[in-house]
Amino acid sequence: MTKRPVLVVLFDGVQSLDVTGPVEVFAGAGRLGGSGAYPIRTASLDGGPVRTHNGGLRMIPDTTLDGADRPHTLLVPGGEGTRKPDPRLIDWLRENAPRAERLVAVCTGALLLAEAGLLDGHRATTHWAVCDHLARRHPEVRVEPDPIFVRDGRVSTSAGVTAGIDLALALVEEDLGRDAALTVARNLVVFLRRPGNQAQFSAQLAAQTARRAPLRDLQHWITEHPDGDLSVDALAARARLSPRHFARAFQAETGTTPGRYVDQVRLEHARRLLEETTDGVQEVARAAGYGTSEAMRRAFVKTLDTTPADYRRRFHAPVHPAR
């Protein structure tokens, strides 16, 4: 079987889950059938131990960056250490990263690749909290703030922390096939993988919580009744406001329009039903407030670039504990 060596870059202030999440995926895939498909090594600038960003863990690398063999996949994690990186690390990435066949950045690791000029002209994402910073500092990078991961040629970037697992599973699926990725996902007790263009956070996290109790209560009511009458007029009446006043107040306090919030809630509810139940697509569409399966299909294609049926195929998998 083809060997695809993985080299993980370590530095002080690294986010431990950015490292261990993808490493568990590649290691799990490498154990399938004793294939050893993904030999994994870790390296720091001087080969010495590094402190993770929470200060509570130390990671001991296998070698120095200069002493590491050329990898197939170079994995650059994120963490607080990306805020003021060691210039030597940026220089090493600029000189050596292009030799890898695949560049993978998890979370704010994208900032390190960008500083080294390796994201110029590429589509990329990173943790939602620093997408604006990445876009401002590196206007030549086409930053996409919504997806949980973005793949553009040989360069792949992911959103925050656990999204690195989704990206790693996608790479394993490409290399070894869906069955291998599914086996790894089952052993890790996670879904096969979220589609890369799935939003980084839910409707409740994406929108602010309203300050005023009536609007805050209405937000909760919407999430509990996605199949109800969620028109502006109906919601305004429930909030005891005029439609015009309601629409303005809702957007001012939540940062989004009532219609967009309803769309997010319905999509999220439909996704959950497709993931967790065996209900038919038409039944799911009605329960999520779409009315028809075609209306739900249009919403999925527009937002997730996938159909409900394909979403279920990828996401509705039985999960078994590792044996």
Side-chain angles (χ1 to χ4, degrees):
M1 178 174 286
T2 301
K3 303 289 186 181
R4 297 177 175 87
V6 177
L7 179 65
V8 183
V9 176
L10 298 182
F11 49 87
D12 280 324
V14 70
Q15 162 63 255
S16 56
L17 275 175
D18 287 3
V19 175
T20 57
V23 162
E24 287 294 335
V25 171
F26 289 124
R31 287 193 295 269
L32 296 178
S35 68
Y38 296 100
I40 300 169
R41 301 201 81 194
T42 57
S44 65
L45 278 168
D46 59 7
V50 301
R51 284 281 181 186
T52 59
H53 85 133
N54 58 22
L57 292 174
R58 284 201 316 164
M59 291 186 172
I60 301 176
D62 297 310
T63 185
T64 64
L65 285 172
D66 284 335
D69 294 333
R70 175 178 174 269
H72 173 276
T73 298
L74 180 67
L75 193 150
V76 182
E80 290 294 319
T82 63
R83 292 179 179 271
K84 294 181 179 179
D86 189 321
R88 295 178 301 157
L89 177 57
I90 302 303
D91 289 342
W92 186 91
L93 288 171
R94 185 180 296 113
E95 181 178 349
N96 294 278
R99 296 191 299 154
E101 293 185 40
R102 189 157 63 191
L103 293 182
V104 177
V106 179
C107 195
T108 54
L111 299 179
L112 299 180
L113 293 187
E115 286 293 327
L118 299 168
L119 295 185
D120 291 359
H122 286 282
R123 295 163 45 244
T125 193
T126 184
H127 192 288
W128 61 267
V130 296
C131 280
D132 285 346
H133 170 75
L134 176 60
R136 287 194 305 271
R137 184 170 177 82
H138 300 282
E140 61 279 1
V141 180
R142 290 176 285 166
V143 179
E144 298 186 5
D146 291 329
I148 59 171
F149 64 81
V150 170
R151 301 187 59 194
D152 188 3
R154 59 189 289 271
V155 179
S156 299
T157 52
S158 83
V161 195
T162 58
I165 295 175
D166 298 286
L167 175 53
L169 284 168
L171 296 174
V172 168
E173 184 176 0
E174 177 184 277
D175 295 341
L176 305 181
R178 184 176 184 276
D179 289 345
L182 179 57
T183 298
V184 174
R186 285 173 172 170
N187 288 339
L188 294 177
V189 197
V190 296
F191 290 114
L192 170 56
R193 65 179 174 90
R194 293 175 286 178
N197 48 10
Q198 184 172 327
Q200 290 195 26
F201 31 56
S202 67
Q204 288 76 20
L205 289 176
Q208 305 166 33
T209 300
R211 294 187 301 274
R212 284 182 282 180
L215 293 180
R216 189 166 59 246
D217 292 344
L218 184 62
Q219 283 181 279
H220 294 310
W221 187 87
I222 291 171
T223 62
E224 293 171 358
H225 300 85
D227 59 341
D229 182 355
L230 303 184
S231 64
V232 169
D233 286 348
L235 294 175
R238 182 170 288 275
R240 298 183 179 179
L241 297 170
S242 70
R244 186 176 183 182
H245 186 193
F246 164 71
R248 287 180 174 177
F250 190 94
Q251 181 164 10
E253 296 201 19
T254 68
T256 189
T257 66
R260 190 171 297 118
Y261 185 78
V262 167
D263 288 344
Q264 291 170 337
V265 166
R266 283 179 166 158
L267 185 68
E268 186 174 315
H269 189 72
R271 281 177 19 220
R272 189 158 52 246
L273 291 177
L274 290 170
E275 294 163 11
E276 300 174 359
T277 76
T278 58
D279 295 345
V281 171
Q282 183 61 53
E283 190 176 353
V284 169
R286 285 195 297 267
Y290 288 108
T292 68
S293 57
E294 178 56 29
M296 183 171 74
R297 181 184 178 281
R298 288 196 298 269
F300 268 66
V301 171
K302 177 181 178 181
T303 307
L304 301 178
D305 195 27
T306 189
T307 65
D310 188 55
Y311 185 92
R312 168 167 275 172
R313 182 185 68 81
R314 291 179 178 275
F315 216 50
H316 185 273
V319 178
H320 305 292
R323 290 184 173 88

